[in-house]
Amino acid sequence: MCFDTDMARYVVARDIYSEDKFNEDHAKIYRQRKTIRNHVAEYFRCDRRRVQSAALSLLPVISWLKIYRLKEWLLSDIVSGISTGLVAVLQGLAYCLLASLPPWYGLFSAFFPVIIYFFLGTSRHISVGPFPVLCLMIGSVVTRIVPDEGPAMNITGLGGLTRDEQRVIVACSVSFLAGIMQLAMGLFQVGFVVMYLSETLVSGFTTAAAVHILVSQLKFVLGLTVPGISGPFALIYTLEIIFNKITSTNVCDVVIALVIMVVVFIVKELNDRYKSKLPVPIPIEVIMTVIACGVSYAFDFKAKYGIEVVGLIPKGYEPPMAPNLQIFQETAVEAFPMAIVGFAVAFSVAKVYSIKHDYTIDGNQELIAFGVSNIFGASFKSFAASTALSRSAVQESTGGKTQIAGLLSAVIVMVVTLAIGFLLEPLPKSVLGAVVIVNLKGMLMQVTEVPYLWRRDTPDCVVWIGTCVASILLGLDLGLAVGLGIELLSVVLRTQFPRCSVLANIKGTDIYKDRKDYLNILEPEGVKIFRIPSPIFFANIEFFRNKLVEALGFSPLRVLRKRNKALRKIRRLLKRGELQCTPKGYLNSSCEPYSDLEEESSAEDLDLPTDLKDLPIRIDWSAELPANIRVPRVDLHSLVLDFAAVSFLDISALKGLKTALRELIRIEVEVYIVACDPYILEKLHSCGFFDDEVTPSMFFLTLHDAMLHILQRHPEAIQSKSNLNTVRFPRRD
């Protein structure tokens, strides 16, 4: 091989390689495959190095504490921790309303999970705590089991308790169960399941969740009493109730909410526009909350205008509690999507920051971290935690370097819980609702992706729309399942109906492209190159065979059967002396018209190879046959199948492929398979794919190798077509 760097050209001189010849000329390393027993033994092997590695992986805090730069990072972490803690307090109170729980329990969720994640988490920048989508999913479970109107579901352990106490038990139990599921998935190393939730699906799902959150906060913004509704079409029923009660709107709540939303929105936009000039983002939500609290207390909004406020916030933490096992049974179906969604959102955010700051995160360890965090937090009456995008952005943008910032934010939440929570008691709930709605902007604006997806990738657009619409109408749990089904169906359809193509040579090169896309191409006579751009398996083998027949322009099986029928007729005519053998072929010696009487024969006999041994001379199927015998003409002598994009074959595909190859070989079409994956070749050998008709010699290393081999066997194919051999690999003497 030689390179011409000035001309940016390369010239290669080597043999034409089939797979067999390449393996003869080049020694191969045969690696011993590990058995399941080897993998199990290695997994349970225990030594000092493995114990040390396991300890570091289970406690990632050790690895980054060892490299902590005290002088450079500590001040940044302190500033970030205080800023994030203030936002966490406000969001904890606000998002708790989505879970249909008393607001102060949101402070628990902004504290306990953060402590555990500090030790077990691998991300240094996400802020752990309440996430609005998870809160809404918990709220739907809570209102299903303990509705606003009517008695709670008949569950042991809920009797004799107030509605709020019952709801706390339900929320903690379902959070505990979600944590168990996350922990189990982490221990069994199945963190890869989140890969099935594509970015498109998550975008559609979170947009629908934002719509649900928006509707759920309208009752606080408008000052209405609206019972919690769960199940399919709950959003439509909720809107119906709101519109029926719209005349009872509390004007004071509306004015407060509008003022908060306008001011917070404007300042947030200024934060985004001037973030490079501001040392830290302006904590406008905290500022407006403090102002609203002061104004509400000074003018006694609750008594004068009848607005609903946060109310009494108990000091301190409540004793731990055990989950209710009967609630486990009632909520298992809802807990699983909670576990998946909570992890998927947190992992995707953590991945963004890990790439930005150049460190690695471990998906399985993240599952363990969130699982233990939710189990521990639920024991102390907090609900399922993940990460809120806005809160994580505050922690990172204010200079946070490690989870010490997260730990300090938990300390701020603890100070509020233990000492100054009473200052938030006059806070109107409409303020919290307004803060939640303003923070939905990012999720709601994802709808602008739809036109782009429609233009660039229609199946992805269908996944987005299907997931969003299903989640809005059917609820988040069923909507996620529907979206996942649509996504998997789109993948199956793409592989089941791939875009097969016929390739042609780009003149003067060893490059082959779709013949429909280029002008300066070369197609040797009697040669077809067929490309399969996907795995071949049970669901698409028939599609592959139909597309191959379409590309060939004839059905090999039909031609084979016609030829076998013609052979029977010729043998009968020879036996009756009505045909003569001449140098030009067979001639009809009878003047009487041939009577086309068919002998009864099975389809299996017609599918057998054409047997020409007992005939005096060979039949030229491309010439005119005697006695008006007609057989479809086949102008093809070679077919090349490009397997470069075929990643696997299953047993059904092997059988279908072998049948197709046999049909072609039996009508004297040479078949070549190129660029086949070595593991597929191994599978073909181990499954007994090869026989006297289908042989390993049909496999070639590259497409150009196969084409040069064909031209050596059929030089007439190129004589009228110019210069395929301009780029050639000459054979060694």
Side-chain angles (χ1 to χ4, degrees):
M1 178 184 295
C2 64
F3 298 90
D4 185 346
T5 54
D6 294 333
M7 298 293 292
R9 296 168 64 89
Y10 71 89
V11 179
V12 180
R14 66 165 174 81
D15 289 351
I16 297 174
Y17 280 127
S18 67
E19 290 283 356
D20 289 344
K21 180 170 176 51
F22 183 81
N23 290 331
E24 289 173 7
D25 291 355
H26 299 274
K28 189 176 181 181
I29 298 174
Y30 288 94
R31 292 170 293 173
Q32 185 175 1
R33 300 280 180 84
K34 288 184 179 180
T35 63
I36 295 178
R37 182 178 179 181
N38 297 140
H39 284 291
V40 172
E42 184 176 349
Y43 184 80
F44 288 102
R45 177 175 57 84
C46 185
D47 54 33
R48 181 180 177 182
R49 185 177 178 182
R50 187 172 176 83
V51 170
Q52 185 179 4
S53 175
L56 289 175
S57 65
L58 288 174
L59 291 172
V61 63
I62 298 173
S63 61
W64 60 260
L65 275 180
K66 290 191 299 184
I67 62 171
Y68 192 81
R69 303 172 189 172
L70 193 64
K71 294 181 179 179
E72 297 178 33
W73 291 356
L74 184 59
L75 181 60
S76 297
D77 278 340
I78 291 174
V79 172
S80 175
I82 294 173
S83 302
T84 308
L86 294 174
V87 175
V89 169
L90 181 58
Q91 290 189 351
L93 295 172
Y95 294 160
C96 201
L97 299 180
L98 298 173
S100 300
L101 300 175
W104 65 84
Y105 285 100
L107 299 178
F108 298 172
S109 298
F111 176 74
F112 290 107
V114 179
I115 304 298
I116 298 301
Y117 190 85
F118 174 82
F119 295 100
L120 300 182
T122 59
S123 173
R124 303 175 195 172
H125 292 88
I126 65 171
S127 174
V128 176
F131 176 53
V133 177
L134 270 186
C135 295
L136 190 66
M137 296 174 78
I138 292 170
S140 67
V141 176
V142 167
T143 53
R144 179 174 66 85
I145 295 178
V146 186
D148 288 332
E149 299 175 354
M153 190 178 290
N154 186 18
I155 293 177
T156 304
L158 296 186
L161 301 176
T162 65
R163 178 178 283 109
D164 284 345
E165 290 172 338
Q166 292 174 334
R167 289 185 166 184
V168 169
I169 292 176
V170 173
C172 294
S173 297
V174 71
S175 298
F176 196 101
L177 181 56
I180 291 175
M181 292 176 176
Q182 289 174 327
L183 179 61
M185 287 189 288
L187 293 176
F188 287 105
Q189 306 285 295
V190 291
F192 63 87
V193 296
V194 73
M195 302 305 173
Y196 291 102
L197 301 179
S198 68
E199 185 177 339
T200 306
L201 183 144
V202 172
S203 175
F205 176 77
T206 51
T207 303
V211 174
H212 278 281
I213 294 169
L214 175 63
V215 172
S216 71
Q217 295 306 292
L218 289 179
K219 64 181 180 181
F220 298 111
V221 170
L222 299 175
L224 300 175
T225 301
V226 179
I229 301 173
S230 60
F233 306 106
L235 183 137
I236 296 174
Y237 298 142
T238 301
L239 286 174
E240 181 185 8
I241 295 173
I242 290 174
F243 287 133
N244 288 335
K245 294 185 175 182
I246 199 71
T247 53
S248 304
T249 298
N250 189 310
V251 178
C252 183
D253 272 322
V254 174
V255 172
I256 292 173
L258 288 176
V259 171
I260 295 290
M261 283 191 283
V262 170
V263 174
V264 171
F265 178 79
I266 292 173
V267 176
K268 275 181 167 288
E269 290 298 307
L270 293 175
N271 279 339
D272 288 340
R273 179 169 295 183
Y274 299 107
K275 60 183 176 183
S276 60
K277 298 180 180 179
L278 293 172
V280 295
I282 301 171
I284 187 60
E285 293 109 321
V286 177
I287 294 172
M288 294 304 295
T289 300
V290 172
I291 294 173
C293 272
V295 173
S296 175
Y297 177 77
F299 294 96
D300 197 9
F301 280 178
K302 181 180 180 182
K304 288 185 177 179
Y305 302 106
I307 66 171
E308 192 174 358
V309 297
V310 169
L312 178 66
I313 298 180
K315 286 186 178 180
Y317 294 100
E318 299 184 12
M321 55 165 277
N324 188 304
L325 298 182
Q326 192 174 347
I327 294 177
F328 279 8
Q329 298 175 0
E330 294 291 337
T331 61
V333 175
E334 290 102 330
F336 184 71
M338 286 182 203
I340 295 296
V341 170
F343 168 65
V345 171
F347 184 75
S348 61
V349 175
K351 195 173 181 181
V352 170
Y353 290 128
S354 70
I355 293 171
K356 181 178 179 180
H357 296 280
D358 193 25
Y359 62 90
T360 58
I361 56 172
D362 182 352
N364 292 311
Q365 181 60 28
E366 286 292 291
L367 273 170
I368 292 173
F370 278 104
V372 177
S373 296
N374 285 327
I375 291 171
F376 180 76
S379 301
F380 286 89
K381 299 186 179 179
S382 80
F383 47 84
S386 179
T387 182
L389 309 183
S390 58
R391 196 169 60 246
S392 294
V394 169
Q395 180 165 319
E396 192 267 344
S397 63
T398 51
K401 304 296 182 184
T402 65
Q403 281 300 330
I404 286 179
L407 191 64
L408 290 174
S409 73
V411 172
I412 298 296
V413 174
M414 182 180 68
V415 170
V416 172
T417 305
L418 297 178
I420 59 175
F422 69 92
L423 296 176
L424 296 172
E425 290 179 2
L427 178 65
K429 286 187 177 181
S430 57
V431 173
L432 298 177
V435 170
V436 171
I437 290 174
V438 170
N439 280 300
L440 294 177
K441 178 201 167 189
M443 289 194 286
L444 289 172
M445 289 303 292
Q446 291 176 135
V447 75
T448 58
E449 298 175 7
V450 174
Y452 172 82
L453 289 172
W454 182 259
R455 292 192 302 269
R456 303 299 181 189
D457 195 331
T458 304
D460 262 4
C461 186
V462 171
V463 171
W464 196 101
I465 294 174
T467 304
C468 186
V469 172
S471 299
I472 289 174
L473 296 180
L474 303 179
L476 295 181
D477 46 358
L478 291 177
L480 181 63
V482 171
L484 189 58
I486 295 173
E487 181 182 55
L488 295 178
L489 181 62
S490 72
V491 173
V492 170
L493 291 178
R494 292 192 208 198
T495 54
Q496 187 172 351
F497 304 108
R499 184 182 177 275
C500 299
S501 56
V502 176
L503 307 184
N505 176 251
I506 305 298
K507 286 185 180 180
T509 73
D510 61 346
I511 298 170
Y512 295 81
K513 295 289 186 180
D514 191 335
R515 67 178 182 181
K516 296 178 181 178
D517 296 336
Y518 292 87
L519 295 174
N520 191 26
I521 61 173
L522 178 64
E523 293 184 275
E525 291 183 357
V527 181
K528 285 278 188 193
I529 308 170
F530 186 73
R531 184 175 185 272
I532 307 101
S534 76
I536 306 176
F537 57 106
F538 67 93
N540 70 354
I541 182 61
E542 285 304 316
F543 176 81
F544 157 69
R545 293 183 63 180
N546 292 335
K547 281 292 181 181
L548 180 58
V549 169
E550 183 181 321
L552 294 175
F554 61 87
S555 168
L557 181 59
R558 180 172 176 270
V559 172
L560 178 61
R561 290 178 174 176
K562 288 285 188 179
R563 287 187 180 183
N564 277 324
K565 287 182 180 181
L567 277 175
R568 290 204 180 108
K569 295 174 183 177
I570 290 171
R571 286 192 178 97
R572 288 200 297 273
L573 291 173
L574 286 171
K575 187 175 181 180
R576 293 193 296 209
E578 296 179 3
L579 280 184
Q580 290 182 352
C581 297
T582 69
K584 295 183 179 181
Y586 294 102
L587 291 177
N588 192 358
S589 60
S590 174
C591 297
E592 298 180 4
Y594 172 69
S595 177
D596 189 9
L597 297 175
E598 288 288 344
E599 294 179 359
E600 290 187 6
S601 58
S602 64
E604 288 79 6
D605 293 336
L606 296 176
D607 294 348
L608 294 175
T610 51
D611 186 6
L612 306 174
K613 294 178 182 178
D614 59 338
L615 296 179
I617 61 174
R618 185 176 181 81
I619 298 177
D620 182 2
W621 295 109
S622 61
E624 186 176 349
L625 298 178
N628 295 324
I629 298 174
R630 300 189 180 279
V631 173
R633 184 185 176 92
V634 176
D635 294 324
L636 188 73
H637 58 72
S638 300
L639 171 67
V640 183
L641 300 177
D642 183 359
F643 269 35
V646 179
S647 56
F648 74 87
L649 293 166
D650 66 5
I651 297 300
S652 300
L654 289 181
K655 292 178 180 178
L657 177 63
K658 187 170 184 177
T659 300
L661 296 182
R662 277 179 170 172
E663 292 171 359
L664 287 160
I665 292 168
R666 288 173 182 179
I667 61 171
E668 301 172 4
V669 174
E670 299 169 8
V671 183
Y672 302 93
I673 299 177
V674 301
C676 187
D677 187 276
Y679 294 103
I680 293 180
L681 268 174
E682 287 181 19
K683 184 172 183 177
L684 296 179
H685 281 284
S686 63
C687 292
F689 182 78
F690 300 109
D691 54 24
D692 294 338
E693 292 180 288
V694 181
T695 62
S697 61
M698 67 170 55
F699 286 82
F700 275 73
L701 206 61
T702 70
L703 179 48
H704 202 60
D705 282 303
M707 288 300 295
L708 293 178
H709 174 77
I710 291 169
L711 296 180
Q712 283 185 341
R713 291 176 57 86
H714 303 275
E716 73 281 356
I718 201 64
Q719 287 175 358
S720 63
K721 289 276 187 177
S722 135
N723 60 345
L724 180 66
N725 282 316
T726 300
V727 178
R728 62 181 184 275
F729 302 146
R731 295 185 64 84
R732 183 173 55 199
D733 294 336

